[in-house]
Amino acid sequence: MTYNQMVYQSEKATGHRNGVRFYLMKNTGVITGPEDQLDNYFRQCSIELTAEDLAKIGYFFANQYIHYDGDRKYEDGSLAKLVLSQMLIAAMYEFSGEYGRTVDLKQI
C-alpha cells in the first residue's frame, strides 16, 4: 500500500479538528497507546487507491463484510450497519448531512 506524501503532509498540517477529537478521546480513555496513532490516521487519509480497489472496498461494506470473491470469513451484518452509519454521519465531514438527504437510506 502506498501513501501520497503531499496529501499526508497536508492532512497533518491542517487536520486540527481531527487532532482535537483524538486528544479528547485519549483524555477520556477511549483511545489508549502512543500519540503516533494520530499520525497513523493522517497516513490512512492519504492511502492511494485504484478505482478497482475502491470498488472492492465498497462491495465489502455494502455486502455485510463479504469479500468480493464470496469469502464470508468476516460476514457480520450488525457490525457492517454500525460502520456504514458512522461513515454516513461523519466520513464526509460537512457534506455528510447533504449526502444522507440525497441517497436512499433504506439500504443501511
Side-chain angles (χ1 to χ4, degrees), residues 4-24:
N4 183 307
Q5 281 298 318
M6 273 181 57
V7 172
Y8 165 69
Q9 292 299 331
S10 175
E11 286 288 326
K12 191 172 181 176
T14 62
H16 308 298
R17 186 182 311 178
N18 292 320
V20 168
R21 290 180 182 134
F22 173 81
Y23 287 111
L24 283 171

Side-chain angles (χ1 to χ4, degrees), residues 31-70:
I31 294 175
T32 59
E35 292 189 18
D36 65 347
Q37 292 171 330
L38 179 58
D39 191 62
N40 186 45
Y41 171 78
F42 293 135
R43 287 192 191 285
Q44 291 175 22
C45 292
S46 62
I47 293 173
E48 292 187 330
L49 300 171
T50 65
E52 182 179 349
D53 294 333
L54 191 56
K56 289 176 181 177
I57 292 167
Y59 184 94
F60 183 73
F61 284 113
N63 291 283
Q64 301 181 2
Y65 294 177
I66 298 171
H67 196 259
Y68 71 95
D69 66 2

